[in-house]
C-alpha cells in the first residue's frame, strides 16, 4: 500500500471520530438534554462513517446502534435500550426489502435472471416494444403479491431487465447503452409507478 493510500485510509477512518468529537466539545444547546446532544453527535459520526466508508456502511450503522444502546442514549434502562436496538429487526417491511435484494443477488449469481430474460425474448423479443410490454406485464403480475414497490422493482424486475440489454449488445457505461438498455430501464421504472 502506498503512503498516499495509507494516508487516505487513515483520514477516512478518523473523520467520523473527529466530527463526532467536535460536536461533543460544543456545549449542549438550551432546550436539549445532554443525552439528546450526545445522540446527535453519534448520529453525525455515523453518517460521516457511512460517507467516508472506512468499513462497509452496514457495519458503521450497526456500530452506531450498538454504541447508542451501550451508552443508554435512547432509553434509560438496559432492557429498554436493547429492545430499541432490536426493534428495527422486527419490522416485516425491512425483512421484505432485505429478502427481495437477496433474491436479486441470487438471480445474478445463478443466472436465473438471464434465463428469464431469454424466455421473455423468445416470447416477445421480436421488437423492443414487445420487450417493454414483457417487462410491464411481469411487473403487473408481481404487483398484487409483492406489497413493496421497492422490493418488486429492485429485487425481482431489475435483475431480469438488467440481463436483457447485454443479449442485444447494449452494454452499461458504453455508448451502446442507449440502444436497448436505457429504453428497458425507463420502461421498468414507468411500469413500477403505474402498477
Amino acid at each position: 500500500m502506498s503512503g498516499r493510500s495509507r494516508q487516505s485510509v487513515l483520514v477516512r477512518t478518523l473523520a467520523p471520530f473527529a466530527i463526532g468529537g467536535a460536536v461533543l466539545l460544543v456545549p449542549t444547546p438550551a432546550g436539549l438534554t445532554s443525552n439528546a446532544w450526545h445522540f446527535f453527535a453519534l448520529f453525525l459520526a455515523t453518517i460521516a462513517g457511512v460517507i467516508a466508508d472506512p468499513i462497509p456502511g452496514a457495519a458503521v450503522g450497526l456500530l452506531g446502534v450498538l454504541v447508542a444502546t451501550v451508552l443508554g442514549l435512547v432509553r434509560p434502562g438496559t432492557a429498554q435500550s436493547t429492545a430499541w436496538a432490536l426493534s428495527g429487526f422486527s419490522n416485516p417491511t425491512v425483512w421484505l426489502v432485505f429478502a427481495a435484494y437477496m433474491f436479486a443477488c441470487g438471480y445474478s449469481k445463478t443466472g436465473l435472471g438471464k434465463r428469464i430474460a431469454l424466455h421473455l425474448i423468445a416470447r416477445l423479443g421480436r421488437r423492443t416494444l414487445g420487450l417493454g410490454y414483457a417487462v410491464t406485464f411481469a411487473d403487473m403480475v408481481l404487483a398484487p403479491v409483492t406489497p413493496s414497490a421497492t422490493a418488486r422493482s429492485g429485487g425481482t424486475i431489475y435483475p431480469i431487465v438488467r440481463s436483457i440489454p447485454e443479449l442485444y449488445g447494449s452494454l452499461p457505461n458504453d455508448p451502446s447503452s442507449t440502444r436497448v438498455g436505457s429504453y428497458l430501464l425507463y420502461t421498468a421504472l414507468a411500469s413500477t409507478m403505474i402498477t
Side-chain angles (χ1 to χ4, degrees):
M1 191 186 274
S2 70
R4 184 173 283 252
S5 62
R6 243 185 268 132
Q7 189 177 24
S8 172
V9 169
L10 183 63
V11 168
R12 288 188 353 223
T13 304
L14 294 178
F17 295 105
I19 291 171
V23 172
L24 284 176
L25 291 176
V26 175
T28 304
L32 283 181
T33 64
S34 63
N35 242 12
W37 188 245
H38 294 154
F39 189 72
F40 177 67
L42 176 63
F43 174 77
L44 286 181
T46 303
I47 295 300
V50 169
I51 293 169
D53 200 29
I55 58 176
V60 172
L62 283 174
L63 281 172
V65 169
L66 179 66
V67 170
T69 302
V70 169
L71 296 178
L73 297 177
V74 288
R75 300 282 189 266
T78 306
Q80 294 139 337
S81 288
T82 304
W84 171 83
L86 297 175
S87 66
F89 299 103
S90 67
N91 187 333
T93 305
V94 171
W95 286 108
L96 176 70
V97 172
F98 175 75
Y101 282 106
M102 294 309 298
F103 280 121
C105 289
Y107 285 144
S108 57
K109 294 278 185 197
T110 62
L112 180 61
K114 192 170 192 171
R115 288 192 298 261
I116 293 172
L118 287 170
H119 185 69
L120 290 173
I121 289 170
R123 299 276 181 198
L124 300 164
R126 290 183 185 90
R127 296 185 179 162
T128 54
L129 184 62
L131 290 174
Y133 282 133
V135 168
T136 304
F137 180 70
D139 204 350
M140 185 179 72
V141 168
L142 290 172
V145 295
T146 310
S148 169
T150 305
R152 182 178 70 248
S153 64
T156 306
I157 298 298
Y158 177 73
I160 296 169
V161 171
R162 171 78 171 77
S163 300
I164 295 173
E166 292 175 0
L167 299 171
Y168 284 92
S170 181
L171 304 172
N173 299 325
D174 190 56
S176 65
S177 68
T178 57
R179 286 190 221 158
V180 178
S182 297
Y183 165 71
L184 285 178
L185 286 176
Y186 283 124
T187 302
L189 173 69
S191 68
T192 297
M193 298 303 146
I194 61 172
T195 57

